[in-house]
Amino acid sequence: MPRIAERNNQELRPVRITRRYTEIPEGSVLIEIGKTMVLCTASIEDRVPPFLKGAGKGWITAEYSMLPRATGVRNQRESSKGKLSGRTMEIQRLIGRALRSVVDLSKLGEKTIWLDCDVLQADGGTRTAAITGAYVALHDAVSFLLGAGLLKTNPITDSLAAVSVGKVRGEYLLDLAYEEDSKAEVDMNVVMTGSGKLIEVQGTAEKEPFDRKELDELLDLAENGIRTLMGYQRQALEEIGRPVIC
Amino acid sequence: MPRIAERNNQELRPVRITRRYTEIPEGSVLIEIGKTMVLCTASIEDRVPPFLKGAGKGWITAEYSMLPRATGVRNQRESSKGKLSGRTMEIQRLIGRALRSVVDLSKLGEKTIWLDCDVLQADGGTRTAAITGAYVALHDAVSFLLGAGLLKTNPITDSLAAVSVGKVRGEYLLDLAYEEDSKAEVDMNVVMTGSGKLIEVQGTAEKEPFDRKELDELLDLAENGIRTLMGYQRQALEEIGRPVIC
Amino acid sequence: MPRIAERNNQELRPVRITRRYTEIPEGSVLIEIGKTMVLCTASIEDRVPPFLKGAGKGWITAEYSMLPRATGVRNQRESSKGKLSGRTMEIQRLIGRALRSVVDLSKLGEKTIWLDCDVLQADGGTRTAAITGAYVALHDAVSFLLGAGLLKTNPITDSLAAVSVGKVRGEYLLDLAYEEDSKAEVDMNVVMTGSGKLIEVQGTAEKEPFDRKELDELLDLAENGIRTLMGYQRQALEEIGRPVIC
Amino acid sequence: MPRIAERNNQELRPVRITRRYTEIPEGSVLIEIGKTMVLCTASIEDRVPPFLKGAGKGWITAEYSMLPRATGVRNQRESSKGKLSGRTMEIQRLIGRALRSVVDLSKLGEKTIWLDCDVLQADGGTRTAAITGAYVALHDAVSFLLGAGLLKTNPITDSLAAVSVGKVRGEYLLDLAYEEDSKAEVDMNVVMTGSGKLIEVQGTAEKEPFDRKELDELLDLAENGIRTLMGYQRQALEEIGRPVIC
Amino acid sequence: MPRIAERNNQELRPVRITRRYTEIPEGSVLIEIGKTMVLCTASIEDRVPPFLKGAGKGWITAEYSMLPRATGVRNQRESSKGKLSGRTMEIQRLIGRALRSVVDLSKLGEKTIWLDCDVLQADGGTRTAAITGAYVALHDAVSFLLGAGLLKTNPITDSLAAVSVGKVRGEYLLDLAYEEDSKAEVDMNVVMTGSGKLIEVQGTAEKEPFDRKELDELLDLAENGIRTLMGYQRQALEEIGRPVIC
Amino acid sequence: MPRIAERNNQELRPVRITRRYTEIPEGSVLIEIGKTMVLCTASIEDRVPPFLKGAGKGWITAEYSMLPRATGVRNQRESSKGKLSGRTMEIQRLIGRALRSVVDLSKLGEKTIWLDCDVLQADGGTRTAAITGAYVALHDAVSFLLGAGLLKTNPITDSLAAVSVGKVRGEYLLDLAYEEDSKAEVDMNVVMTGSGKLIEVQGTAEKEPFDRKELDELLDLAENGIRTLMGYQRQALEEIGRPVIC
């Protein structure tokens, strides 16, 4: 059974990373993976949350949201519902945790970097696209701080990207689109560093349990996809303001 | 005192209207006026709010939101605060009312069209840009309904655009940027139809009261600006998918 | 078509302003315009909101609310719904802005004056009645501060009143009752100073757009109504504790 | 130690009950006891809460609120806090329970009567004033239903009034003003029927525990006060629209 | 008509008090009365609420909650509803008030003791069981403070227990189970001290008003029940860690 | 470095599973693992959530909460904060998903089974203890339905248990206590079926990234721990009402 848009099972959808998408934030990256579009901005704040006050270190935190019509059916805004859904909270906790894992917070000083990931359009893989894009926005914010003399040394310890993989109708697929994701037997999100190590592995049996061999197949697939995404991130970081089309 | 970016007092900032900015919604328009960027989507829902049930007519409603880093200083999300600010409510009520004024709701049938106006970047005039862009998105959603045979006749009765004007340091200015707006003595938002009639006039003495003559000066200025914006809307509606750069 | 209670198109409903309606607040005014009854209290607080801390100036703010059975059909309390409606927020922002426009905040010192406008009964024009009554309550609170030696000079720079006007079935009417308002083609709220200048003009095409000539007709009508209201305010301010029946 | 306003320990403050204080509700009573002012309205709704659907009987419910400046220091509105305080909930549960105890709900049919008790000014005893006033408003709403032929028989089974009593500096006092209440060793609210039976007894040792004899003293005092209040209620119910000054 | 589980009208259900039910809190008591099970923990916090700051005294406060399936039909959690019910607020205010009445807060120093009463299973009398159990937990927390040298003198001035009584089908019953409570004509909660004085008396006519003689009958019944409960408390306080089965 | 309570790295803490801990729910299980205590109840409701209406199948959902003093420092209740934390939402989504994976929802009919997991005391591993205990409670609820003839066939397709594992100071540890968890370099929660397949794998680099070999070590450890837990579950399911001490 061919995949949508005729790609093979080990292939990512087309990726496009646009830095300086908006002018105001210290980092502003539009990442497009297939139809999925996430605007990731990085904002610097000169203070830390209460639990870190006086600890002489910084903080990285993330917020995630979808525009109401990012999806096929319009969703009610969480601002008008008056509360965040469990899905939103779970995703923004994941993004923040992932980004913090490649930053030496003690080198950041008493600063918070906010990574806002707003999904303009959703076609699967929004949380992993958000992590991949947010890393680039974080990189720009840190460059800004270094350029302005507000940081002496670079607190980023490694690069970072993420991808989804899954088992769909018995086949192992990289980078699931929404249609594929909704039919997956197993669904996994993997976050890795540039040095090839794992940061997060979240595998879920959506329809049937999986064994250790299947887990390994999926991790291999994810590892390859993430290496390709890291190439796109590097390319984007070399050219400023021009979209990197892949 | 020259204006930012060297425009004269009667001049709009550069305007860019991109239709089909995202693929999923029935209408999806990115409107850029100077640095202000608003994504306006139109979504069709096959039911009406409770107060219209059984009345045999439709409804048009709007929601407005700013991304947290649309502005120079990051704002907390209204979804995490758990409630909408007065400013947001006031603006989305204005947008909805303005759009309804050019639609014959009885011709729409028992449908709701949601206009979601999300500010990606804010440099003054976001509410009037939202109205101007939402009109184009509404137009696309109605074309979709007509094309699909879901509407027999066009319920749109007139075109619509909006602009801000103000008195700043004694001069009458069209299309205030944020810096100008924050210093304005008088600030006015004007919504007009294609036939040159007024839909909304909201004039506020921010620093000193104004007289009837000044009100007239500002209305003249707004009228001219709105006519220019309507030219851009028409151009955009002729070409699909390509941005109309003005 | 005669108006309710046989008044002519340029006529206000009976107006009654009672100062010291309750004893506790620094200013407490019951304003009755026809059946519309609004209790406006002014309360002095010895601090300013966070955004003004250390700025050496004061603040004026307003809150507006309707008792659940102010209207023909009982409304659910906003306290039990857990949030303010857009209408409430829009109105209280208007009242606060209007009152601030006639106060030199730098003369007020680091104080906040709260104007609470609670609608005991609603028959149209509650927001303009609230502004007209709140001005009198503010006046009393300032007199209290001057009398107690807590202010050296009067920070009030001008007097202030407001009225609604509209076009109903082709006729221009002053001071719309609820029944008239619900049928209006155009509806406008106008706030003016004692010196005859405009503070706010909010005109809305409820049913059909209006032209500049119509705007002028409505502004003339409003101007006359406001002058009459200012006469009642002056009378009330001369007599303490006795209702001024007009 | 003499009481405020020179009354003796067994004396109520001046009582004033004004029926038809506002015109719109089916019952609308302003009750003033000393400086305490509570507006009690009764509203009829043609349905019952979900738990009574189809049970063939009606419901009586109450809501209680204080205007922000009913008290010496301005309180934040519960609508802007987004939730009701425990005190408010406790009081409105008490009022509803008390009123239901003198109504045969099976005779009311599938109707709800809402009793809204809004405190315009608070000087102690607001909950008992609310019960005493709400009974009169309920009476008027029932008269309205009987007069309109919407009820065949009167569902009210007895009259009802309430008062506070307390032990202050060793003396037993009727109808505590705020100053007295805040110093009370024991504080008790008592609700009684016209036939002299008890509906609620809520006695609290604020500063020191009390014995059975003291409980009896306080109940005697309350019983006398309630009989006097019932006289005022009867007087008010005889004359319509004219305040009954006592 | 015999009572459930064949007890007579003046008899408590079986009582079991287990101290140190959980290990972490300073006081942790599981109280079981019939099927009713309430876990009462006492937690010490080294600060006081804002209204007591600098007053040199401490505070005792209580929170009450039911597990969703404490009852026959599962209740929605108040945390997912986003607000506390009136019933919960009323009960936790009662528990806090009762416990404070036997503590000399000025001897506690600037500390707060939180009494959390979580109902694991509910079969009537949860609020009175909570008070009776919370007293024991408070006792343990105070012993902890005395033992650790954090308090010099014991601030507890008397012991405390509570019970419910009621009139059901014309009979006076002690310690109502849920089934009995739901049929009660009169329902009363009584809180008493070890010295035999009253702290709270809350009597409510659920179905028919009561007279002074009936009030006295119920108070006699409550007094006896409370004396028995105090015996169980004393026994429990003598043995640590072993449940006291009565 | 020896572990707390002298267990070795591959050893679980003492486990105790008490069925019918409370009498009212269809399933009620207290699971204790070391000091961690979670009360898991199963409640049957005769309807399904809106998105399943008419689909002819059932639903399993979970809620998770901690008592305020389950932990060393008292936490504010989520009911009084008015919202659930991200942590709570993430955990209850995990529990629900895990349990659903071993139930054939189409065999359940239009019923919802609620699994409420309330943490009475927390010393690490509360979410995995909740899954392990909730499985037993679910089993009891299903037995109840089968026994009452409300289900024809058993919808449970496999057994289920969960455990946490982690890398702490370079060593691989099973079943982390709170102290260990807070120092872990890598932390993983694993959910498995009785047939030895994986349901969820959630591995997080808390302090340093991990490689595939380390992932395998941790999965081996988890697999062994889960097999042991399943033995305890089986034992508990054989004896009713008696705690199974392991």
Side-chain angles (χ1 to χ4, degrees):
Chain A
M1 200 199 75
R3 299 183 77 181
I4 298 155
E6 312 222 332
R7 58 178 165 134
N8 68 43
N9 292 357
Q10 296 77 37
E11 209 178 332
L12 292 171
R13 290 172 290 176
V15 175
R16 187 176 172 155
I17 296 174
T18 309
R19 285 163 69 207
R20 304 204 176 159
Y21 179 74
T22 54
E23 293 177 42
I24 292 174
E26 287 75 34
S28 173
V29 168
L30 180 70
I31 183 164
E32 298 166 84
I33 299 185
K35 288 191 202 167
T36 290
M37 298 169 72
V38 186
L39 176 52
C40 308
T41 64
S43 303
I44 298 161
E45 191 187 22
D46 263 329
R47 55 174 191 178
V48 287
F51 68 88
L52 277 185
K53 232 164 234 171
K57 46 194 273 197
W59 191 242
I60 309 280
T61 191
E63 291 192 356
Y64 169 97
S65 184
M66 280 220 262
L67 295 203
R69 193 57 196 288
T71 48
V73 171
R74 186 183 182 277
N75 290 297
Q76 198 192 342
R77 284 173 197 269
E78 293 181 323
S79 57
S80 73
K81 275 193 267 187
K83 59 180 179 181
L84 302 179
S85 71
R87 181 185 174 275
T88 292
M89 290 225 201
E90 191 173 315
I91 292 174
Q92 63 193 20
R93 281 160 56 89
L94 168 65
I95 302 171
R97 207 162 57 221
L99 273 292
R100 279 194 298 278
S101 76
V102 293
V103 176
D104 181 341
L105 296 172
S106 66
K107 286 194 184 151
L108 193 56
E110 294 224 338
K111 284 179 190 59
T112 297
I113 301 182
W114 293 81
L115 295 157
D116 286 291
C117 301
D118 286 88
V119 180
L120 306 187
Q121 193 161 255
D123 185 27
T126 61
R127 80 187 71 185
T128 49
I131 291 169
T132 306
Y135 171 74
V136 180
L138 173 67
H139 196 284
D140 279 346
V142 164
S143 298
F144 168 86
L145 287 169
L146 289 165
L150 297 165
L151 278 184
K152 296 279 176 272
T153 54
N154 191 338
I156 299 181
T157 58
D158 206 339
S159 60
L160 187 86
V163 83
S164 77
V165 288
K167 188 176 161 199
V168 183
R169 303 196 176 170
E171 297 189 45
Y172 302 100
L173 304 186
L174 176 65
D175 182 26
L176 307 185
Y178 175 74
E179 267 299 298
E180 296 167 337
D181 187 68
S182 62
K183 287 182 301 223
E185 288 103 45
V186 182
D187 173 31
M188 192 175 320
N189 292 300
V190 181
V191 187
M192 282 182 69
T193 63
S195 56
K197 292 212 159 186
L198 294 159
I199 291 294
E200 286 267 347
V201 174
Q202 296 196 337
T204 299
E206 298 282 351
K207 299 225 175 61
E208 50 180 74
F210 52 102
D211 59 26
R212 296 279 290 274
K213 209 187 122 288
E214 291 176 301
L215 178 66
D216 278 329
E217 291 260 20
L218 290 167
L219 285 169
D220 288 344
L221 204 53
E223 202 166 324
N224 284 329
I226 287 173
R227 284 193 203 291
T228 309
L229 285 166
M230 284 177 171
Y232 295 143
Q233 287 176 324
R234 272 192 304 274
Q235 263 180 274
L237 284 168
E238 279 155 21
E239 323 189 22
I240 284 195
R242 257 187 293 158
V244 176
I245 307 175
C246 324
Chain B
M1 200 200 75
R3 300 183 75 180
I4 298 157
E6 312 222 331
R7 57 178 166 135
N8 68 44
N9 292 356
Q10 297 79 36
E11 209 178 333
L12 293 171
R13 290 172 290 176
V15 176
R16 187 175 173 157
I17 296 175
T18 309
R19 285 163 69 206
R20 303 201 177 162
Y21 179 75
T22 55
E23 292 177 44
I24 292 175
E26 287 76 33
S28 173
V29 168
L30 179 70
I31 184 165
E32 297 166 83
I33 299 185
K35 287 190 201 167
T36 290
M37 299 170 71
V38 187
L39 176 53
C40 308
T41 64
S43 303
I44 297 161
E45 190 188 23
D46 263 328
R47 55 175 191 176
V48 287
F51 69 89
L52 277 185
K53 233 165 231 171
K57 48 193 274 194
W59 190 242
I60 308 281
T61 190
E63 290 192 356
Y64 169 96
S65 184
M66 279 219 262
L67 296 202
R69 194 57 197 287
T71 48
V73 172
R74 187 182 181 277
N75 289 297
Q76 198 193 343
R77 284 173 196 270
E78 292 181 324
S79 57
S80 72
K81 277 193 266 188
K83 60 181 178 179
L84 302 179
S85 72
R87 181 184 174 275
T88 292
M89 290 225 200
E90 191 172 315
I91 292 175
Q92 63 193 19
R93 282 160 55 89
L94 169 66
I95 302 170
R97 207 162 59 221
L99 273 294
R100 281 194 297 277
S101 76
V102 294
V103 175
D104 181 342
L105 296 173
S106 65
K107 285 194 184 150
L108 192 56
E110 294 224 339
K111 283 178 189 59
T112 297
I113 301 182
W114 292 81
L115 294 157
D116 286 292
C117 300
D118 285 89
V119 179
L120 306 188
Q121 192 161 255
D123 185 27
T126 60
R127 78 187 72 186
T128 49
I131 291 170
T132 305
Y135 170 75
V136 179
L138 172 68
H139 196 283
D140 279 345
V142 165
S143 298
F144 168 86
L145 287 169
L146 289 165
L150 296 166
L151 277 185
K152 297 277 175 274
T153 54
N154 191 338
I156 299 180
T157 58
D158 207 338
S159 59
L160 187 86
V163 83
S164 77
V165 287
K167 188 175 160 199
V168 182
R169 302 194 177 172
E171 297 189 46
Y172 301 100
L173 304 187
L174 177 64
D175 182 25
L176 307 186
Y178 175 75
E179 268 298 298
E180 297 168 336
D181 189 68
S182 61
K183 286 182 301 222
E185 288 102 46
V186 182
D187 173 31
M188 193 175 319
N189 292 300
V190 181
V191 187
M192 282 182 70
T193 62
S195 56
K197 293 211 159 186
L198 294 159
I199 290 294
E200 286 268 348
V201 174
Q202 296 196 339
T204 299
E206 298 280 353
K207 298 226 175 61
E208 50 180 72
F210 52 104
D211 59 26
R212 297 279 290 273
K213 207 187 125 286
E214 291 176 301
L215 178 65
D216 277 328
E217 291 260 21
L218 290 168
L219 284 169
D220 288 344
L221 203 54
E223 202 165 325
N224 284 329
I226 287 174
R227 282 193 203 291
T228 309
L229 284 167
M230 283 176 171
Y232 294 143
Q233 287 175 323
R234 272 192 306 273
Q235 264 180 274
L237 285 168
E238 278 155 21
E239 323 188 20
I240 283 193
R242 258 186 291 158
V244 176
I245 308 175
C246 325
Chain C
M1 200 200 74
R3 299 183 78 180
I4 299 156
E6 313 223 330
R7 59 180 164 134
N8 68 42
N9 292 356
Q10 296 80 36
E11 209 177 333
L12 293 170
R13 292 173 287 177
V15 175
R16 185 175 173 155
I17 296 174
T18 310
R19 285 164 70 207
R20 302 202 178 160
Y21 178 74
T22 54
E23 293 177 44
I24 293 175
E26 286 77 33
S28 173
V29 169
L30 179 71
I31 183 164
E32 298 166 82
I33 300 185
K35 288 191 202 167
T36 290
M37 298 169 73
V38 187
L39 175 53
C40 307
T41 64
S43 303
I44 298 162
E45 189 187 24
D46 262 328
R47 56 175 189 178
V48 287
F51 68 89
L52 277 184
K53 234 164 230 170
K57 46 193 274 194
W59 190 241
I60 308 281
T61 190
E63 290 193 355
Y64 169 97
S65 184
M66 280 217 264
L67 296 202
R69 193 58 196 288
T71 49
V73 172
R74 186 182 181 277
N75 289 297
Q76 198 192 342
R77 283 172 198 270
E78 293 180 323
S79 57
S80 73
K81 277 194 265 190
K83 60 180 178 180
L84 302 179
S85 72
R87 181 184 174 276
T88 291
M89 290 226 200
E90 193 173 313
I91 291 175
Q92 64 193 21
R93 282 160 56 89
L94 168 65
I95 301 171
R97 209 162 56 222
L99 273 294
R100 280 194 297 278
S101 76
V102 293
V103 175
D104 182 341
L105 297 172
S106 65
K107 286 193 186 151
L108 192 56
E110 295 224 338
K111 284 178 188 60
T112 297
I113 301 181
W114 292 81
L115 294 157
D116 286 291
C117 301
D118 286 88
V119 180
L120 305 187
Q121 191 160 257
D123 186 28
T126 60
R127 79 188 72 186
T128 48
I131 291 170
T132 306
Y135 171 75
V136 180
L138 173 67
H139 197 284
D140 278 345
V142 165
S143 299
F144 168 86
L145 287 168
L146 288 165
L150 298 165
L151 277 185
K152 296 276 174 275
T153 55
N154 191 338
I156 298 181
T157 57
D158 206 340
S159 61
L160 187 86
V163 83
S164 78
V165 288
K167 189 177 161 198
V168 182
R169 303 195 178 171
E171 296 189 46
Y172 301 100
L173 305 186
L174 177 64
D175 182 26
L176 307 186
Y178 175 74
E179 267 299 295
E180 295 167 337
D181 187 68
S182 62
K183 286 182 301 221
E185 289 103 46
V186 181
D187 173 30
M188 193 173 322
N189 292 301
V190 181
V191 187
M192 281 182 71
T193 62
S195 56
K197 293 213 159 186
L198 295 158
I199 291 295
E200 287 268 348
V201 174
Q202 296 196 337
T204 299
E206 298 281 351
K207 296 225 176 62
E208 49 180 72
F210 52 104
D211 59 26
R212 297 279 290 274
K213 211 187 122 288
E214 292 177 300
L215 178 65
D216 277 330
E217 290 260 21
L218 290 168
L219 285 168
D220 288 345
L221 204 54
E223 204 167 322
N224 284 330
I226 287 173
R227 282 192 204 292
T228 309
L229 285 167
M230 283 176 171
Y232 295 143
Q233 287 175 325
R234 271 192 306 273
Q235 264 182 271
L237 285 168
E238 279 156 21
E239 325 188 19
I240 283 194
R242 257 186 292 156
V244 177
I245 306 175
C246 325
Chain D
M1 199 199 75
R3 299 184 77 182
I4 298 157
E6 314 220 331
R7 57 178 166 135
N8 68 42
N9 292 357
Q10 296 79 35
E11 207 178 336
L12 293 171
R13 290 172 290 176
V15 176
R16 185 176 174 156
I17 296 175
T18 310
R19 285 164 69 208
R20 301 203 180 160
Y21 179 75
T22 55
E23 294 178 40
I24 293 176
E26 288 75 33
S28 174
V29 168
L30 181 70
I31 181 164
E32 297 166 84
I33 299 185
K35 288 191 201 166
T36 290
M37 299 170 71
V38 187
L39 176 53
C40 308
T41 64
S43 302
I44 299 161
E45 191 188 23
D46 262 329
R47 54 174 190 179
V48 287
F51 68 88
L52 277 185
K53 233 165 231 170
K57 48 194 271 197
W59 191 241
I60 308 281
T61 191
E63 290 193 355
Y64 169 96
S65 184
M66 279 218 263
L67 295 203
R69 193 58 197 287
T71 48
V73 171
R74 186 184 182 275
N75 290 298
Q76 198 191 343
R77 285 173 195 270
E78 293 181 324
S79 57
S80 73
K81 276 194 266 188
K83 59 180 179 181
L84 302 180
S85 71
R87 181 184 174 276
T88 292
M89 291 224 202
E90 192 173 313
I91 292 174
Q92 61 193 20
R93 283 160 55 89
L94 168 66
I95 302 171
R97 209 163 57 223
L99 274 293
R100 280 195 297 278
S101 75
V102 293
V103 176
D104 181 341
L105 297 173
S106 65
K107 286 195 184 150
L108 192 57
E110 294 224 338
K111 282 177 192 61
T112 297
I113 301 182
W114 292 81
L115 294 158
D116 286 292
C117 302
D118 286 87
V119 179
L120 305 187
Q121 193 161 255
D123 186 27
T126 61
R127 78 188 70 187
T128 48
I131 291 170
T132 306
Y135 171 75
V136 179
L138 172 68
H139 196 284
D140 278 345
V142 165
S143 299
F144 168 87
L145 287 168
L146 289 165
L150 297 165
L151 277 185
K152 297 277 175 277
T153 55
N154 191 338
I156 298 179
T157 57
D158 205 339
S159 60
L160 188 85
V163 83
S164 77
V165 287
K167 186 175 162 202
V168 182
R169 302 194 177 172
E171 297 189 45
Y172 301 99
L173 304 186
L174 175 65
D175 182 27
L176 307 186
Y178 175 75
E179 268 299 298
E180 296 167 338
D181 187 68
S182 61
K183 285 182 300 220
E185 287 103 46
V186 181
D187 173 31
M188 192 174 323
N189 292 300
V190 181
V191 187
M192 281 182 71
T193 62
S195 56
K197 293 212 158 185
L198 294 158
I199 291 295
E200 287 268 346
V201 173
Q202 296 196 338
T204 299
E206 298 282 351
K207 298 224 175 63
E208 50 180 70
F210 52 103
D211 59 26
R212 296 280 289 276
K213 208 188 125 285
E214 292 176 300
L215 178 65
D216 278 328
E217 292 260 19
L218 290 168
L219 284 169
D220 288 344
L221 204 53
E223 203 166 323
N224 284 330
I226 287 173
R227 283 193 203 290
T228 310
L229 284 167
M230 284 177 171
Y232 296 143
Q233 286 176 325
R234 271 192 306 273
Q235 261 180 277
L237 285 167
E238 278 155 21
E239 326 187 18
I240 283 194
R242 256 187 293 158
V244 176
I245 307 175
C246 327
Chain E
M1 200 199 74
R3 300 183 77 181
I4 299 158
E6 313 222 330
R7 58 180 165 134
N8 68 43
N9 293 357
Q10 296 80 35
E11 207 176 337
L12 293 171
R13 290 172 289 176
V15 176
R16 185 176 173 153
I17 296 175
T18 311
R19 285 164 70 207
R20 302 205 178 157
Y21 178 74
T22 54
E23 294 178 41
I24 294 176
E26 286 76 34
S28 174
V29 169
L30 179 69
I31 182 165
E32 298 166 83
I33 299 185
K35 288 191 202 167
T36 290
M37 297 169 72
V38 187
L39 176 53
C40 308
T41 64
S43 303
I44 298 161
E45 191 187 23
D46 261 328
R47 54 174 191 181
V48 287
F51 69 88
L52 276 185
K53 232 165 231 170
K57 48 194 271 196
W59 191 240
I60 307 281
T61 190
E63 291 192 355
Y64 169 96
S65 185
M66 279 219 263
L67 295 203
R69 192 59 195 288
T71 48
V73 172
R74 187 185 180 275
N75 289 297
Q76 198 192 342
R77 283 173 197 270
E78 293 181 323
S79 57
S80 73
K81 279 194 264 189
K83 58 180 181 182
L84 302 179
S85 71
R87 181 184 174 277
T88 292
M89 291 225 201
E90 194 173 313
I91 292 174
Q92 63 193 20
R93 283 160 56 88
L94 168 65
I95 302 171
R97 209 161 55 222
L99 273 293
R100 279 193 298 277
S101 75
V102 293
V103 176
D104 180 341
L105 297 172
S106 65
K107 285 195 185 150
L108 192 56
E110 295 224 338
K111 283 178 191 58
T112 297
I113 301 182
W114 292 81
L115 294 157
D116 286 291
C117 301
D118 286 87
V119 179
L120 306 187
Q121 193 161 253
D123 185 28
T126 60
R127 79 188 71 187
T128 48
I131 290 170
T132 306
Y135 171 75
V136 179
L138 173 68
H139 196 284
D140 279 345
V142 165
S143 299
F144 168 86
L145 287 168
L146 288 166
L150 298 165
L151 278 184
K152 297 277 173 274
T153 54
N154 191 338
I156 298 181
T157 57
D158 205 340
S159 61
L160 187 85
V163 83
S164 77
V165 287
K167 189 177 161 200
V168 182
R169 303 195 175 169
E171 297 190 44
Y172 301 100
L173 305 186
L174 176 65
D175 182 26
L176 306 185
Y178 176 74
E179 268 299 297
E180 296 167 337
D181 187 67
S182 62
K183 286 182 301 221
E185 289 103 47
V186 181
D187 173 30
M188 192 173 323
N189 292 301
V190 181
V191 187
M192 281 180 71
T193 62
S195 55
K197 293 211 158 187
L198 294 158
I199 290 295
E200 287 268 347
V201 173
Q202 297 196 337
T204 299
E206 298 282 352
K207 297 223 177 62
E208 48 180 72
F210 52 104
D211 58 27
R212 296 280 289 276
K213 209 187 124 285
E214 292 176 299
L215 178 65
D216 278 329
E217 292 261 18
L218 290 167
L219 285 169
D220 289 343
L221 204 52
E223 205 167 320
N224 284 329
I226 288 173
R227 284 193 202 290
T228 310
L229 285 167
M230 284 176 171
Y232 295 142
Q233 287 175 325
R234 270 191 308 272
Q235 261 181 275
L237 284 168
E238 279 156 21
E239 325 190 17
I240 283 193
R242 256 187 293 157
V244 176
I245 306 175
C246 325
Chain F
M1 197 199 77
R3 300 185 78 182
I4 299 158
E6 313 223 330
R7 57 180 165 136
N8 68 43
N9 293 356
Q10 295 79 37
E11 209 178 334
L12 294 170
R13 291 173 287 176
V15 176
R16 186 175 173 155
I17 296 175
T18 310
R19 286 164 71 207
R20 302 204 177 159
Y21 179 74
T22 54
E23 294 178 41
I24 294 176
E26 286 76 33
S28 173
V29 169
L30 180 70
I31 182 164
E32 297 165 83
I33 299 184
K35 288 191 201 166
T36 289
M37 298 170 74
V38 187
L39 175 54
C40 308
T41 65
S43 302
I44 298 161
E45 190 188 24
D46 262 328
R47 55 176 191 177
V48 287
F51 68 88
L52 276 185
K53 234 166 228 171
K57 48 194 271 195
W59 191 242
I60 307 281
T61 191
E63 290 192 356
Y64 169 96
S65 185
M66 279 218 264
L67 296 202
R69 193 58 197 286
T71 49
V73 173
R74 187 184 181 275
N75 290 297
Q76 198 192 345
R77 285 173 194 270
E78 293 181 323
S79 58
S80 73
K81 278 194 264 189
K83 59 181 180 181
L84 302 180
S85 72
R87 181 183 174 279
T88 292
M89 291 225 200
E90 194 173 312
I91 292 174
Q92 62 193 21
R93 282 159 57 88
L94 168 65
I95 302 171
R97 208 162 57 223
L99 273 293
R100 281 194 296 278
S101 76
V102 293
V103 176
D104 181 341
L105 297 173
S106 66
K107 284 194 185 150
L108 192 56
E110 295 224 339
K111 283 178 190 62
T112 297
I113 301 182
W114 292 82
L115 294 158
D116 286 292
C117 302
D118 286 87
V119 180
L120 305 188
Q121 191 160 258
D123 185 27
T126 61
R127 78 188 71 187
T128 48
I131 291 170
T132 305
Y135 170 75
V136 179
L138 173 68
H139 196 283
D140 278 346
V142 164
S143 299
F144 168 86
L145 286 168
L146 288 165
L150 297 165
L151 277 184
K152 296 276 172 277
T153 55
N154 190 338
I156 297 181
T157 57
D158 206 338
S159 60
L160 187 86
V163 84
S164 77
V165 287
K167 189 176 160 200
V168 183
R169 303 197 176 167
E171 296 189 45
Y172 302 99
L173 304 187
L174 177 65
D175 182 26
L176 308 185
Y178 176 74
E179 267 300 296
E180 297 167 336
D181 187 67
S182 63
K183 287 182 298 223
E185 289 102 46
V186 181
D187 173 31
M188 193 174 322
N189 292 301
V190 181
V191 187
M192 282 182 71
T193 62
S195 57
K197 293 211 159 188
L198 294 158
I199 291 293
E200 288 268 346
V201 174
Q202 297 196 337
T204 299
E206 298 282 350
K207 296 224 177 62
E208 48 180 71
F210 52 104
D211 58 27
R212 296 279 290 274
K213 210 189 124 285
E214 293 177 299
L215 178 65
D216 278 329
E217 292 260 20
L218 290 168
L219 285 169
D220 288 344
L221 204 54
E223 205 167 321
N224 285 329
I226 287 173
R227 283 192 203 290
T228 310
L229 285 167
M230 283 176 172
Y232 294 143
Q233 287 176 323
R234 270 191 308 272
Q235 264 181 274
L237 285 167
E238 280 156 20
E239 325 189 20
I240 283 193
R242 256 186 293 157
V244 176
I245 306 175
C246 325

